[in-house]
């Protein structure tokens, strides 16, 4: 019997008339099938199936009710898709993302990523501390919006307010340049602090590409060099 290109290793004779549990690893598969017939709505979900040799693989199963001439349910017909490779890819992606976030969280540098409109979509904890803001105060905002927010909430000192807007202007210029050229840039940035101390940073900014080479934003790493 062939199942979407994956051989179960059973013959047709070994399957006909047998319980579905012969290929299913789901301990309550019978209850699910009975429920599908009872509610007359079919059933769909992800299951683990097995070959004759015990090898397991994952499928997405969608079932529909089969009716007799009196419109009484007499069984189920199912369409299954082998999703083993997709599930493996999802797991690998989750592990990769977890590794990435763990890595950037422990870097001795501020890390950020912005979308094509210049809005922050990711920052690590150190970036937040360097900005003197909470993560939810940064995500979704542009540098100019952060400057307005900081000026209204965090400080009333004119000199600091002016520098914050200048930093935002420069960030917008860098964003436009990187999005247009697709090239990275290195620069130094100055951040005034509430306590009057000025902190200096070496910043590396680079484009973020999709798999087909389209630039969808920028990312950056900033190291304090005060």
């Amino acid at each position: 019997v062939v199942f979407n290109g994956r051989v179960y290793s059973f013959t047709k004779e070994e399957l006909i008339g047998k319980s579905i549990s012969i290929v299913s690893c789901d301990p309550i598969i019978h209850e699910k099938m009975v429920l599908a017939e009872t509610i007359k709505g079919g059933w769909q979900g992800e299951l683990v199936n097995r070959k004759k040799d015990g090898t397991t693989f994952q499928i997405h199963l969608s079932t529909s009710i089969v009716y007799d001439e009196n419109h009484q349910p007499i069984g189920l017909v199912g369409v299954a898709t082998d999703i083993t490779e997709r599930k493996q890819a999802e797991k690998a992606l989750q592990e990769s993302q977890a590794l990435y976030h763990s890595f950037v969280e422990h870097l001795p540098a501020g890390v950020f990523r912005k979308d094509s409109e210049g809005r922050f979509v990711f920052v690590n904890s150190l970036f937040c501390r360097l900005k003197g803001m909470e993560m939810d105060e940064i995500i979704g905002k542009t540098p100019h919006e952060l400057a307005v927010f900081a000026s209204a909430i965090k400080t009333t000192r004119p000199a600091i307010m002016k520098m914050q807007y200048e930093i935002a202007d420069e960030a917008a210029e860098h964003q436009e340049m990187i999005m247009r050229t697709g090239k990275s840039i290195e620069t130094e940035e100055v951040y005034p602090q509430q306590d009057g101390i000025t902190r200096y940073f070496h910043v590396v900014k680079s484009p973020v590409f999709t798999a087909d080479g389209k630039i969808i934003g920028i990312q950056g790493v900033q190291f304090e060099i005060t």
Side-chain angles (χ1 to χ4, degrees), residues 112 114 118 143-144 166-191 201 203-207 215 217-219:
F112 66 88
K114 294 189 285 186
H144 281 100
E166 291 174 349
I167 293 170
D169 288 340
E170 186 177 54
E173 292 176 4
H174 291 167
Q175 173 103 11
E176 189 279 329
M177 183 186 305
I178 295 171
M179 295 287 293
R180 175 169 48 82
T181 66
K183 296 181 179 180
S184 300
I185 62 172
E186 294 188 40
T187 185
E188 288 187 6
E189 295 182 353
V190 181
Y191 288 88
F201 297 89
V203 187
V204 181
K205 303 177 182 180
S206 59
I215 301 176
I218 73 168
Q219 58 192 355

Side-chain angles (χ1 to χ4, degrees), residues 33-50:
M33 296 302 166
V34 170
L35 177 62
E37 291 191 24
T38 302
I39 64 176
K40 300 183 179 181
W43 177 86
Q44 64 176 342
E46 295 180 2
L47 298 170
V48 177
N49 273 191
R50 59 170 165 253

Side-chain angles (χ1 to χ4, degrees), residues 100-120:
Y100 171 76
H101 286 290
S102 175
F103 175 71
V104 298
E105 274 298 312
H106 291 88
L107 275 177
V111 180
F112 66 88
R113 187 164 66 246
K114 294 189 285 186
D115 63 16
S116 60
E117 297 180 350
R119 297 185 181 279
F120 288 97

